Amino acid sequence: MQLRGQGLSLEHAILGFLSEHARSGYDLKTRCFDIDAKAFWTADQAQIYRTLERLRTSKLLTSSVRRQTGKPDRKVYEITASGHESFSEWERRAAALPSPRDAFLLQVYFAAELSDDEITGLLRDRRASHQARLEELRLEAVEASRDRSVSARASVLRQAAYAGATAAERAAIDWLDDMLDAISAGLLPGSGMSDADGQRPLFGLAPA
Amino acid sequence: MQLRGQGLSLEHAILGFLSEHARSGYDLKTRCFDIDAKAFWTADQAQIYRTLERLRTSKLLTSSVRRQTGKPDRKVYEITASGHESFSEWERRAAALPSPRDAFLLQVYFAAELSDDEITGLLRDRRASHQARLEELRLEAVEASRDRSVSARASVLRQAAYAGATAAERAAIDWLDDMLDAISAGLLPGSGMSDADGQRPLFGLAPA
DNA sequence: CGTAGCATGTAAACAGTTACATGATTGT
DNA sequence: ACAATCATGTAACTGTTTACATGCTACG
C-alpha cells in the first residue's frame, strides 16, 4: 500500500515532458533526458521506448505516425486526459525519501586498511568529479534559463531544481575538503589497534 | 567496460563486514545493515542470503554450520584470502559518480501546475523527512562512536562517513528553506505565460 | 552512378539489482 | 505459539547489447 522509496519516476517524467507538448521517443531521449533533465534523472533509450509502450497500453498516452520528408517517420506520443490525471496525482504526492545508497560513503566507512595517501587520493578524485559535475550543472542551468517557451513560474521552478542539485554537489565538496584538511592536519590516527580486546589478524595475507 | 556508475557494492559491503570477523546472514542483516550501515546502504534479507551464496560459490568466502542450543543452526561465513583481495581492490578503486536519479528534483522541475500552497506543502513535508533522518543519523553516529571493537583509525573514518551523510541532509534542508523563504517572499511568479518581463535571478544560485 | 558511412527512429532480448512476500526449520 | 535462522519465488525496474529500416551525404 505505502509507496515505496520511489519507483516509477520515469513514467512520470515522461508524462511531464509530454504535458508540455507531444514528442517522439527520439525527442525525449535526445532533448528531454540527455539535456533538460540530465541533472535529475537519466534514462536509456530502450527504457524510454519500453515505458512509452507501457504507457500507451495503459491509455495514458496515444501515438500517431507522422511522415517526414527526407527522414524516417516519427511516432509522436500525446498525453491523454487520464495520463494528465496520473501525472498530476504523482506531482502532488509527497513521496518517502529514497533509502540511502551511497557506495562512496561505504568505501570511506571501510577505509581503515588504506594508507593516508591512498585515502587522500580517493578523496581528491572524488572532489574532482563533483567539481566537474558542478560546472556542468552551472551550464545546464544557464541554458535552461534561456528557454522562453515556458512560463515564468515553470522557469523559476526549474532553476530551483538545478539549485537543489547544485547544493548537493557543493555539500559533497565541502565535506571532502573537511576530510582532506583533517587528514593533512594529521588528525587521522594510525592503524594500531587501540587496545585489549578486538580481533586477531584475519588470516595470513601478503604483508602490506 | 568496467566504468559502471556503481553496482556490486552490496558484495563489497558484505566482504567489508566479514573482514572484521565471521558472521551469519542473520547477523549481517540485523546488526550490520539494519544498524551499522543503515545510513549508507540498505539491504533486504533475501538479497543478503543470495549474495552470500554467490560469494561462496565464487570462493570469496566459506561457510560452516554451527549448532546452537535452543536456537536453529547458524551458518557462519568467513572471508577467504581471495575475498579479501577482491574487497581490497574495490576499496582502493575510484569509482565514477552514480548517474543522477532524484525523483524529488523532478517533481520540483515539473511543479508549475501546482499552487504555491501545494508546493509549500511538499517542501515542508520533505523538510520534515530530512530533519527526521538527520536526527537518526545523529543517534547512529553517537552509537557508532561507542564501539570499542574497532581501531581508532576505523572509528574516525566511520565518523567521517556519518559526517558525509549528515552534510547531505543538511544541504537538502538548507535548499528547502531557501525555497520556502523565496515562496513566502512572493518570489514565485504566477502561472501566467507572460514572457515579456525579464527573469529575476534565482534564489539559491550563487554567482560563480 | 554506386556504394559506403552516418544520422534518425524503433524495437526486442537478456541480465543484474532490488523489493516484497512466503515458507521451512528448530527448539522453548 | 513464538523467536531465531535460513531459503525460495516473483515482480519491477534498469541497463546493455543487438538489430533493423529509412534516407541523407560524400566520394571515387
Side-chain angles (χ1 to χ4, degrees), chain B residues 8 10 41-42 44 46-47 50 54 70-72:
Chain B
L8 272 54
L10 180 59
W41 205 269
T42 58
D44 191 64
Q47 220 181 319
R50 271 196 261 263
R54 200 170 44 208
K71 295 176 183 176

Side-chain angles (χ1 to χ4, degrees), chain A residues 2-7 95-99, chain B residues 103 126:
Chain A
Q2 68 286 12
L3 317 161
R4 33 192 183 299
Q6 48 103 339
L97 292 182
S99 42
Chain B
R126 189 73 171 182

Side-chain angles (χ1 to χ4, degrees), chain A residues 8 10 41-42 44 46-47 50 54 70-72:
Chain A
L8 272 48
L10 180 58
W41 205 269
T42 58
D44 189 70
Q47 224 181 317
R50 262 183 283 137
R54 201 172 44 216
K71 296 177 183 175

Side-chain angles (χ1 to χ4, degrees), chain A residues 130-200:
Chain A
H130 282 295
Q131 192 72 53
R133 186 164 281 180
L134 199 49
E135 178 58 15
E136 272 179 52
L137 222 34
R138 200 181 61 77
L139 296 176
E140 289 164 24
V142 168
E143 200 46 47
S145 74
R146 294 224 169 84
D147 185 350
R148 280 298 125 84
S149 74
V150 293
S151 69
R153 185 178 185 77
S155 185
V156 169
L157 288 165
R158 288 175 189 200
Q159 291 297 320
Y162 284 111
T166 301
E169 297 301 326
R170 280 199 218 284
I173 290 173
D174 289 346
W175 168 68
L176 289 164
D177 283 341
D178 286 351
M179 264 212 282
L180 285 163
D181 288 349
I183 293 176
S184 67
L187 295 180
L188 181 57
S191 41
M193 201 60 66
S194 55
D195 52 29
D197 72 337
Q199 55 270 53
R200 332 270 149 246

Side-chain angles (χ1 to χ4, degrees), chain A:
Chain A
M1 243 78 68
Q2 68 286 12
L3 317 161
R4 33 192 183 299
Q6 48 103 339
L8 272 48
S9 297
L10 180 58
E11 290 193 4
H12 299 291
I14 288 178
L15 291 174
F17 284 117
L18 294 182
S19 284
E20 299 170 2
H21 56 80
R23 303 176 194 261
S24 68
Y26 187 78
D27 288 346
L28 284 166
K29 173 59 178 160
T30 60
R31 178 69 216 260
C32 302
F33 286 100
D34 282 357
I35 298 177
D36 297 335
K38 193 163 176 261
F40 323 124
W41 205 269
T42 58
D44 189 70
Q45 171 254 51
Q47 224 181 317
I48 290 171
Y49 282 109
R50 262 183 283 137
T51 305
L52 283 170
E53 186 50 27
R54 201 172 44 216
L55 290 170
R56 201 182 56 76
T57 54
S58 310
K59 310 275 193 207
L60 302 185
L61 41 85
T62 59
S63 64
S64 56
V65 175
R66 311 239 170 124
R67 292 257 130 65
Q68 303 186 94
T69 53
K71 296 177 183 175
D73 294 351
R74 300 176 79 229
K75 195 166 171 185
V76 173
Y77 294 87
E78 197 162 353
I79 194 165
T80 64
S82 74
H84 190 271
E85 197 185 329
S86 165
F87 171 71
S88 199
E89 196 227 301
W90 171 80
E91 186 59 45
R92 274 164 238 270
R93 190 164 66 220
L97 292 182
S99 42
R101 183 158 281 113
D102 188 322
F104 188 71
L105 290 183
L106 263 190
Q107 225 176 340
V108 170
Y109 185 87
F110 284 121
E113 71 170 45
L114 302 194
S115 69
D116 285 18
D117 283 353
E118 286 172 320
I119 295 174
T120 300
L122 281 178
L123 298 177
R124 281 212 260 256
D125 273 8
R126 189 71 170 187
R127 190 190 195 287
S129 300
H130 282 295
Q131 192 72 53
R133 186 164 281 180
L134 199 49
E135 178 58 15
E136 272 179 52
L137 222 34
R138 200 181 61 77
L139 296 176
E140 289 164 24
V142 168
E143 200 46 47
S145 74
R146 294 224 169 84
D147 185 350
R148 280 298 125 84
S149 74
V150 293
S151 69
R153 185 178 185 77
S155 185
V156 169
L157 288 165
R158 288 175 189 200
Q159 291 297 320
Y162 284 111
T166 301
E169 297 301 326
R170 280 199 218 284
I173 290 173
D174 289 346
W175 168 68
L176 289 164
D177 283 341
D178 286 351
M179 264 212 282
L180 285 163
D181 288 349
I183 293 176
S184 67
L187 295 180
L188 181 57
S191 41
M193 201 60 66
S194 55
D195 52 29
D197 72 337
Q199 55 270 53
R200 332 270 149 246
L202 309 148
F203 44 75
L205 36 103

Side-chain angles (χ1 to χ4, degrees), chain B:
Chain B
M1 161 109 175
Q2 78 145 352
L3 263 169
R4 48 174 90 344
Q6 49 101 339
L8 272 54
S9 297
L10 180 59
E11 290 192 5
H12 300 290
I14 288 178
L15 292 175
F17 285 116
L18 296 181
S19 284
E20 298 170 4
H21 56 81
R23 301 177 194 261
S24 68
Y26 188 80
D27 288 346
L28 283 166
K29 173 58 178 160
T30 59
R31 176 70 216 261
C32 302
F33 287 100
D34 282 355
I35 298 177
D36 297 336
K38 194 163 176 259
F40 323 124
W41 205 269
T42 58
D44 191 64
Q45 173 254 46
Q47 220 181 319
I48 291 171
Y49 282 108
R50 271 196 261 263
T51 304
L52 283 170
E53 188 50 28
R54 200 170 44 208
L55 290 170
R56 200 184 55 78
T57 54
S58 309
K59 310 276 193 207
L60 302 186
L61 40 86
T62 59
S63 65
S64 56
V65 174
R66 312 241 168 122
R67 292 255 131 69
Q68 304 186 97
T69 54
K71 295 176 183 176
D73 296 351
R74 298 176 77 228
K75 197 165 169 185
V76 173
Y77 295 88
E78 198 163 352
I79 195 165
T80 64
S82 75
H84 191 272
E85 195 185 330
S86 165
F87 171 70
S88 198
E89 196 227 300
W90 170 81
E91 187 57 48
R92 275 163 238 269
R93 189 165 61 222
L97 292 183
S99 41
R101 182 159 284 112
D102 188 323
F104 187 72
L105 291 184
L106 262 189
Q107 225 176 339
V108 170
Y109 185 87
F110 283 124
E113 72 170 44
L114 302 194
S115 70
D116 284 20
D117 283 353
E118 286 173 319
I119 294 173
T120 299
L122 282 178
L123 298 177
R124 282 211 259 256
D125 274 8
R126 189 73 171 182
R127 190 190 194 285
S129 300
H130 282 295
Q131 192 72 55
R133 186 163 282 181
L134 199 48
E135 179 57 15
E136 272 179 54
L137 221 35
R138 200 180 61 78
L139 296 175
E140 289 163 25
V142 168
E143 200 47 46
S145 75
R146 295 223 170 82
D147 185 349
R148 281 301 125 82
S149 74
V150 294
S151 69
R153 184 178 185 79
S155 186
V156 168
L157 288 165
R158 286 175 188 200
Q159 290 297 318
Y162 284 111
T166 301
E169 297 300 328
R170 279 198 219 285
I173 290 174
D174 289 346
W175 168 68
L176 289 164
D177 283 342
D178 286 350
M179 265 210 283
L180 284 163
D181 288 350
I183 292 175
S184 67
L187 294 180
L188 181 57
S191 38
M193 205 49 178
S194 63
D195 68 85
D197 58 7
Q199 303 272 35
R200 87 193 82 252
L202 317 120
F203 46 85
L205 207 62

